């Protein structure tokens, strides 16, 4: 069985060890595996090299006149066997946990299950975290193998149609999983009000919700974070920064 893995800036599979930059496990040492392919097309996506292929007509904020922000699958993606992917993880040394991220990892759920089983065979106590956009329900087989789903449903400012990005049955499936926590990317206080409505509709406790300012520079994160804090606190939501942006900037594989 194979996985489609995204490439780092050296054209190699993006498997790396770093600090978790966002969400419930922020600051923890993790080994990251970035999967290629996404079923959403966010206009501000900072991993557009996992899905925004040459010839597609998806809009992106980094499009320039006559120079759309596009990527070639041949340059940005590799098919890697489950055993080889596990070997890339192993080569980085023992880690408390692995983060399966993307793109949208749940598009490759069967291969993820196989990979998790190989990784757990090597290290039975390994924590498994999955970052997902919340549009694909996890199978029972996957859910029982995952310690933390960091679910990030996308709001209107992402440019995705709500019918695609906010699917009630998928959100309900994640809300029913104790291992699922939610991370909403926000730009304005109005976004926080939308999150509050979603939380009420889907019965998601505030303690399982994180709000993260959208931005790929420290300056933007700081300004948006400060502008959003009062609204976040008023609803009792958690806040998450983007640690990797402050430490490394908007780079791949860090
Ligand atoms: S869901 Fe995530 S990976 Fe997919 S387009 Fe949006 S930000 Fe990018």
């Amino acid at each position: 069985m194979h996985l489609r893995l995204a490439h780092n800036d050296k054209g190699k599979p993006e498997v790396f060890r770093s600090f978790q930059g966002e969400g419930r496990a922020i600051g923890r040492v993790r080994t990251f595996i970035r999967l290629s392919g996404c079923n959403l097309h966010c206009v501000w996506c900072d991993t557009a090299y996992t899905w925004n292929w040459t010839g597609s007509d998806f809009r992106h904020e980094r499009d320039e006149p006559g120079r759309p922000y596009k990527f070639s699958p041949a340059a940005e993606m590799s098919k890697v066997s489950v055993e080889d992917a596990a070997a890339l993880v192993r080569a980085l040394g023992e880690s408390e946990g692995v983060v399966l991220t993307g793109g949208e990892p749940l598009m490759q759920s069967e291969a993820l299950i196989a990979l998790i089983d190989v990784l757990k065979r090597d290290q039975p106590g390994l924590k498994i975290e999955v970052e997902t956009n919340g549009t694909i329900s996890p199978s029972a087989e996957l859910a029982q193998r995952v310690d933390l789903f960091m679910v990030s449903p996308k709001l209107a400012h992402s440019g995705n149609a709500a019918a695609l990005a906010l699917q009630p049955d998928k959100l309900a499936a994640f809300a029913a999983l104790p291992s699922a926590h939610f991370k909403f990317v926000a730009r304005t206080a109005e976004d926080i009000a939308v999150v509050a409505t979603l939380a009420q509709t889907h019965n998601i406790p505030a303690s399982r919700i994180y709000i993260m300012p959208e931005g790929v520079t420290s300056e933007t994160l700081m300004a948006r974070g400060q502008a959003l804090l009062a609204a976040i606190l008023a609803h009792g939501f958690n806040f998450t920064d983007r640690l990797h942006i402050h430490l490394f900037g908007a780079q791949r594989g860090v």
Side-chain angles (χ1 to χ4, degrees):
M1 197 172 294
H2 288 77
L3 293 144
R4 292 185 307 281
L5 298 186
H7 283 176
N8 60 22
D9 53 8
K10 296 177 183 64
K12 301 289 183 200
E14 193 176 337
V15 179
F16 61 100
R17 200 155 177 264
S18 189
F19 306 106
Q20 172 56 280
E22 305 170 355
R24 189 166 169 77
I26 192 168
R28 308 293 300 183
V29 178
R30 294 286 183 262
T31 301
F32 293 78
I33 307 170
R34 189 174 305 285
L35 286 94
S36 190
C38 190
N39 58 344
L40 294 184
H41 312 102
C42 304
V43 293
W44 39 253
C45 179
D46 62 357
T47 54
Y49 57 93
T50 65
W51 58 268
N52 200 8
W53 306 132
T54 307
S56 65
D57 57 4
F58 303 119
R59 191 171 67 83
H60 195 282
E61 286 183 348
R62 294 179 69 173
D63 290 337
E64 292 175 20
R67 203 158 160 254
Y69 188 61
K70 298 291 177 188
F71 299 86
S72 147
E76 302 292 350
M77 175 175 74
S78 290
K79 265 182 90 177
V80 178
S81 72
V82 164
E83 287 294 342
D84 286 349
L88 291 172
V89 172
R90 217 175 284 131
L92 294 170
E94 195 157 298
S95 190
E96 181 190 42
V98 161
V99 180
L100 304 166
T101 190
E104 175 44 59
L106 267 66
M107 291 171 73
Q108 304 185 56
S109 289
E110 289 304 311
L112 286 189
I113 290 170
L115 175 63
I116 292 168
D117 286 348
V118 174
L119 294 174
K120 289 252 194 188
R121 188 187 67 203
D122 290 350
Q123 190 183 330
L126 186 71
K127 289 188 192 309
I128 305 294
E129 299 175 8
V130 174
E131 298 182 331
T132 174
N133 61 28
T135 60
I136 300 172
S137 300
S139 64
E141 291 73 24
L142 180 61
Q144 72 191 23
R145 289 166 168 80
V146 173
D147 299 289
L148 172 64
F149 284 101
M150 211 62 229
V151 185
S152 183
K154 297 302 184 287
L155 305 182
H157 59 71
S158 70
N160 294 287
L164 278 180
L166 298 169
Q167 300 178 41
D169 57 327
K170 311 299 187 318
L171 294 176
F174 281 108
L177 283 177
S179 55
H181 287 67
F182 291 77
K183 179 182 71 185
F184 289 90
V185 177
R187 285 184 156 174
T188 65
E190 288 72 43
D191 293 337
I192 312 300
V194 173
V195 174
T197 303
L198 287 169
Q200 198 171 28
T201 306
H202 298 289
N203 209 15
I204 307 169
S207 61
R208 287 168 61 193
I209 293 180
Y210 292 76
I211 305 292
M212 184 176 81
E214 189 271 316
V216 292
T217 65
S218 285
E219 292 73 22
T220 306
L221 293 174
M222 186 85 83
R224 284 210 170 116
Q226 287 176 349
L228 293 173
L229 281 183
I232 297 170
L233 273 175
H235 289 283
F237 298 144
N238 304 291
F239 175 83
T240 176
D241 205 347
R242 307 192 74 200
L243 188 60
H244 51 301
I245 295 291
H246 298 301
L247 293 176
F248 309 111
Q251 291 185 52
R252 298 191 199 187
V254 290

